[in-house]
Amino acid sequence: MGSYSVRRGGWRGLIEEYRQFLPVSESTPVISLLEGNTPLIESRNLAREWCPNLRVLFKYEGLNPTGSFKDRGMTMAISKAAERGVRATLCASTGNTSASAAAYSARAGMMSIVLIPEGKIALGKLAQALTYGARTLQVDGNFDDCLRIVREITDNYPIELLNSLNPMRMEGQKTASFEVCDVLGEPPDYHLLPVGNAGNITAYWWGYREYRERGIVDRTPRMLGFQAAGAAPLVEGRPVARPETVATAIRIGNPARWDDAMAAVRDSGGGVWAVTDDEILEAYGELARLEGIFVEPASAASVAGLKKLLAEGFFGREKATVVLTVTGHGLKDPDTAVRIARQPEQVPADTEAVVRLLEL
Ligand code: F0G
């Protein structure tokens, strides 16, 4: 170890790391929890079983500070709001946006108000919003109702809107594409994402396009989006009045970034598909058991999507690189995890009994 010396300085958060690509200046106060720099994990077992000719990697966004990709957009939205002296923030959320908004607002010293659909957000996300100190309103309606109310209020009151309609959210979220290119040294051939309010697939596309326009990479991937079958307006081509899915994060019937997401899909040569709740939960279990990667159900939509496209022969015999964004951590939704997993086995506090049970 003689020649080893300490390595000083770690990741500085995505605004500092990608400052030249973001609309910030010297006078922008950077509100950060050192989000970004999430691992791009190469599949070991799933690809070998499912598609040995593809290179499959998972962009594990659940490892952001509040456990989802939302932190990328929130560091930008809150920093720019702080620059303008904003005092209060508001968002509608299926859970992750509210957790992230509450955390970054707290860090900026702003008051945070979040509107969530009653009974339809995962327990971990509710715990986060409450603990970060957000004023948390449970609305007797769905996400689309919450977003309508939020738009009406932010149109009329000096409160910052933190949904992905906020262009700064998109600016932050596009950095995930930069990270993928920076790690691989080139863009992937395909990028798969779950789609709810349709902001993230749009932001990724903008990120890839920007890297190409600046001459940093010479091509862009095909963007492939996956919605839950009970909440698939982009696939059906019309809003869904009563969206329903176990993947509560993407239980959205009328996405705010509808047109942008469809443009991303079209311009990149990609597509959108629906995956059923059964397919989502199967992929959720397989990702955990085959790779040791625990995500929330909505995140598994991209994995279910890969499986679906493989079954359809979509990738042919091509040797392609495929990146899947898995958007949120599995601990966000412990109820679903415990409900569908194999249950623990009861045993007395006795070595003999344990040995017998395990048939050692
Ligand atoms: N995955 C997770 C874990 C999410 O929380 C969301 C969106 C998505 C995927 C879909 O991303 O909306 O950009 O298409 N969650 C939002 C929220 C709606 O309120 O937390 P999108």
PDB file of all heavy atoms in Angstrom, residues 7 15 28 41 75 80 127 144 157 182 213 245 266 289:
ATOM      1  N   ARG A   7      -7.772   9.784  -1.731  1.00  0.00           N
ATOM      2  CA  ARG A   7      -8.339  10.441  -2.910  1.00  0.00           C
ATOM      3  C   ARG A   7      -9.322  11.480  -2.414  1.00  0.00           C
ATOM      4  O   ARG A   7     -10.357  11.152  -1.850  1.00  0.00           O
ATOM      5  CB  ARG A   7      -9.062   9.418  -3.779  1.00  0.00           C
ATOM      6  CG  ARG A   7      -8.112   8.421  -4.390  1.00  0.00           C
ATOM      7  CD  ARG A   7      -8.810   7.594  -5.428  1.00  0.00           C
ATOM      8  NE  ARG A   7     -10.036   6.994  -4.901  1.00  0.00           N
ATOM      9  CZ  ARG A   7     -10.890   6.303  -5.641  1.00  0.00           C
ATOM     10  NH1 ARG A   7     -10.673   6.153  -6.924  1.00  0.00           N
ATOM     11  NH2 ARG A   7     -11.970   5.779  -5.105  1.00  0.00           N
ATOM     12  N   ILE A  15     -25.610  19.402 -10.406  1.00  0.00           N
ATOM     13  CA  ILE A  15     -25.479  20.772 -10.921  1.00  0.00           C
ATOM     14  C   ILE A  15     -24.008  21.140 -11.071  1.00  0.00           C
ATOM     15  O   ILE A  15     -23.581  21.658 -12.111  1.00  0.00           O
ATOM     16  CB  ILE A  15     -26.213  21.788 -10.014  1.00  0.00           C
ATOM     17  CG1 ILE A  15     -27.730  21.526 -10.068  1.00  0.00           C
ATOM     18  CG2 ILE A  15     -25.870  23.225 -10.427  1.00  0.00           C
ATOM     19  CD1 ILE A  15     -28.575  22.485  -9.260  1.00  0.00           C
ATOM     20  N   THR A  28     -26.670  31.445  -8.889  1.00  0.00           N
ATOM     21  CA  THR A  28     -27.690  30.450  -8.518  1.00  0.00           C
ATOM     22  C   THR A  28     -27.252  29.722  -7.247  1.00  0.00           C
ATOM     23  O   THR A  28     -26.178  29.114  -7.236  1.00  0.00           O
ATOM     24  CB  THR A  28     -27.865  29.394  -9.640  1.00  0.00           C
ATOM     25  OG1 THR A  28     -28.013  30.052 -10.890  1.00  0.00           O
ATOM     26  CG2 THR A  28     -29.069  28.501  -9.365  1.00  0.00           C
ATOM     27  N   ILE A  41     -25.610  -0.682 -13.614  1.00  0.00           N
ATOM     28  CA  ILE A  41     -25.212  -2.041 -13.209  1.00  0.00           C
ATOM     29  C   ILE A  41     -25.436  -3.016 -14.355  1.00  0.00           C
ATOM     30  O   ILE A  41     -26.550  -3.144 -14.857  1.00  0.00           O
ATOM     31  CB  ILE A  41     -26.029  -2.500 -11.978  1.00  0.00           C
ATOM     32  CG1 ILE A  41     -25.898  -1.484 -10.836  1.00  0.00           C
ATOM     33  CG2 ILE A  41     -25.593  -3.885 -11.528  1.00  0.00           C
ATOM     34  CD1 ILE A  41     -26.814  -1.759  -9.651  1.00  0.00           C
ATOM     35  N   THR A  75     -33.299  19.114  -7.616  1.00  0.00           N
ATOM     36  CA  THR A  75     -32.162  19.981  -7.280  1.00  0.00           C
ATOM     37  C   THR A  75     -32.152  21.199  -8.203  1.00  0.00           C
ATOM     38  O   THR A  75     -31.879  22.326  -7.752  1.00  0.00           O
ATOM     39  CB  THR A  75     -30.814  19.215  -7.337  1.00  0.00           C
ATOM     40  OG1 THR A  75     -29.770  20.082  -6.882  1.00  0.00           O
ATOM     41  CG2 THR A  75     -30.461  18.708  -8.723  1.00  0.00           C
ATOM     42  N   LYS A  80     -33.250  26.922  -8.780  1.00  0.00           N
ATOM     43  CA  LYS A  80     -33.722  28.060  -9.579  1.00  0.00           C
ATOM     44  C   LYS A  80     -34.819  28.833  -8.837  1.00  0.00           C
ATOM     45  O   LYS A  80     -34.916  30.058  -8.963  1.00  0.00           O
ATOM     46  CB  LYS A  80     -34.230  27.581 -10.941  1.00  0.00           C
ATOM     47  CG  LYS A  80     -33.140  27.028 -11.835  1.00  0.00           C
ATOM     48  CD  LYS A  80     -32.029  28.037 -12.136  1.00  0.00           C
ATOM     49  CE  LYS A  80     -32.459  29.065 -13.175  1.00  0.00           C
ATOM     50  NZ  LYS A  80     -31.325  29.966 -13.510  1.00  0.00           N
ATOM     51  N   ALA A 127     -44.338   8.250   4.357  1.00  0.00           N
ATOM     52  CA  ALA A 127     -43.468   8.457   5.515  1.00  0.00           C
ATOM     53  C   ALA A 127     -42.459   9.563   5.229  1.00  0.00           C
ATOM     54  O   ALA A 127     -42.167  10.403   6.093  1.00  0.00           O
ATOM     55  CB  ALA A 127     -42.737   7.154   5.852  1.00  0.00           C
ATOM     56  N   ASP A 144     -54.450  12.742 -11.443  1.00  0.00           N
ATOM     57  CA  ASP A 144     -54.851  13.746 -12.437  1.00  0.00           C
ATOM     58  C   ASP A 144     -55.678  14.866 -11.785  1.00  0.00           C
ATOM     59  O   ASP A 144     -55.541  16.025 -12.148  1.00  0.00           O
ATOM     60  CB  ASP A 144     -55.610  13.070 -13.580  1.00  0.00           C
ATOM     61  CG  ASP A 144     -54.770  11.955 -14.225  1.00  0.00           C
ATOM     62  OD1 ASP A 144     -53.804  12.279 -14.932  1.00  0.00           O
ATOM     63  OD2 ASP A 144     -55.057  10.771 -13.969  1.00  0.00           O
ATOM     64  N   TYR A 157     -51.412  31.899  -7.413  1.00  0.00           N
ATOM     65  CA  TYR A 157     -50.736  32.259  -6.161  1.00  0.00           C
ATOM     66  C   TYR A 157     -49.219  32.150  -6.355  1.00  0.00           C
ATOM     67  O   TYR A 157     -48.761  31.378  -7.196  1.00  0.00           O
ATOM     68  CB  TYR A 157     -51.188  31.331  -5.019  1.00  0.00           C
ATOM     69  CG  TYR A 157     -52.655  31.453  -4.698  1.00  0.00           C
ATOM     70  CD1 TYR A 157     -53.602  30.693  -5.394  1.00  0.00           C
ATOM     71  CD2 TYR A 157     -53.108  32.343  -3.722  1.00  0.00           C
ATOM     72  CE1 TYR A 157     -54.960  30.806  -5.122  1.00  0.00           C
ATOM     73  CE2 TYR A 157     -54.463  32.468  -3.438  1.00  0.00           C
ATOM     74  CZ  TYR A 157     -55.380  31.700  -4.146  1.00  0.00           C
ATOM     75  OH  TYR A 157     -56.709  31.826  -3.872  1.00  0.00           O
ATOM     76  N   ASP A 182     -21.495   8.855 -20.411  1.00  0.00           N
ATOM     77  CA  ASP A 182     -20.163   9.027 -19.810  1.00  0.00           C
ATOM     78  C   ASP A 182     -19.601   7.693 -19.327  1.00  0.00           C
ATOM     79  O   ASP A 182     -18.397   7.445 -19.426  1.00  0.00           O
ATOM     80  CB  ASP A 182     -20.223  10.016 -18.629  1.00  0.00           C
ATOM     81  CG  ASP A 182     -20.471  11.454 -19.094  1.00  0.00           C
ATOM     82  OD1 ASP A 182     -20.375  11.711 -20.308  1.00  0.00           O
ATOM     83  OD2 ASP A 182     -20.770  12.307 -18.232  1.00  0.00           O
ATOM     84  N   GLU A 213     -26.010  16.781 -30.251  1.00  0.00           N
ATOM     85  CA  GLU A 213     -25.897  18.104 -30.875  1.00  0.00           C
ATOM     86  C   GLU A 213     -24.587  18.791 -30.522  1.00  0.00           C
ATOM     87  O   GLU A 213     -24.028  19.533 -31.326  1.00  0.00           O
ATOM     88  CB  GLU A 213     -27.085  18.987 -30.464  1.00  0.00           C
ATOM     89  CG  GLU A 213     -28.337  18.661 -31.267  1.00  0.00           C
ATOM     90  CD  GLU A 213     -29.624  19.176 -30.626  1.00  0.00           C
ATOM     91  OE1 GLU A 213     -29.539  19.947 -29.638  1.00  0.00           O
ATOM     92  OE2 GLU A 213     -30.701  18.785 -31.108  1.00  0.00           O
ATOM     93  N   THR A 245     -53.617   0.473 -11.284  1.00  0.00           N
ATOM     94  CA  THR A 245     -52.485  -0.457 -11.379  1.00  0.00           C
ATOM     95  C   THR A 245     -51.821  -0.617 -10.017  1.00  0.00           C
ATOM     96  O   THR A 245     -51.864   0.295  -9.190  1.00  0.00           O
ATOM     97  CB  THR A 245     -51.418   0.016 -12.401  1.00  0.00           C
ATOM     98  OG1 THR A 245     -50.247  -0.801 -12.250  1.00  0.00           O
ATOM     99  CG2 THR A 245     -51.010   1.467 -12.213  1.00  0.00           C
ATOM    100  N   ARG A 266     -41.235   9.017 -31.185  1.00  0.00           N
ATOM    101  CA  ARG A 266     -41.280   9.071 -32.653  1.00  0.00           C
ATOM    102  C   ARG A 266     -39.903   9.462 -33.230  1.00  0.00           C
ATOM    103  O   ARG A 266     -39.354   8.780 -34.088  1.00  0.00           O
ATOM    104  CB  ARG A 266     -42.340  10.099 -33.072  1.00  0.00           C
ATOM    105  CG  ARG A 266     -42.674  10.096 -34.558  1.00  0.00           C
ATOM    106  CD  ARG A 266     -43.597  11.255 -34.906  1.00  0.00           C
ATOM    107  NE  ARG A 266     -43.019  12.538 -34.489  1.00  0.00           N
ATOM    108  CZ  ARG A 266     -43.604  13.397 -33.657  1.00  0.00           C
ATOM    109  NH1 ARG A 266     -44.784  13.149 -33.132  1.00  0.00           N
ATOM    110  NH2 ARG A 266     -43.012  14.527 -33.329  1.00  0.00           N
ATOM    111  N   ARG A 289     -34.520 -11.373  -7.477  1.00  0.00           N
ATOM    112  CA  ARG A 289     -33.938 -12.704  -7.247  1.00  0.00           C
ATOM    113  C   ARG A 289     -32.762 -13.012  -8.165  1.00  0.00           C
ATOM    114  O   ARG A 289     -31.828 -13.696  -7.770  1.00  0.00           O
ATOM    115  CB  ARG A 289     -35.011 -13.781  -7.399  1.00  0.00           C
ATOM    116  CG  ARG A 289     -36.063 -13.758  -6.292  1.00  0.00           C
ATOM    117  CD  ARG A 289     -36.934 -15.003  -6.336  1.00  0.00           C
ATOM    118  NE  ARG A 289     -37.596 -15.135  -7.617  1.00  0.00           N
ATOM    119  CZ  ARG A 289     -38.795 -14.608  -7.914  1.00  0.00           C
ATOM    120  NH1 ARG A 289     -39.442 -13.912  -7.005  1.00  0.00           N
ATOM    121  NH2 ARG A 289     -39.311 -14.769  -9.106  1.00  0.00           N
TER     122      ARG A 289
END
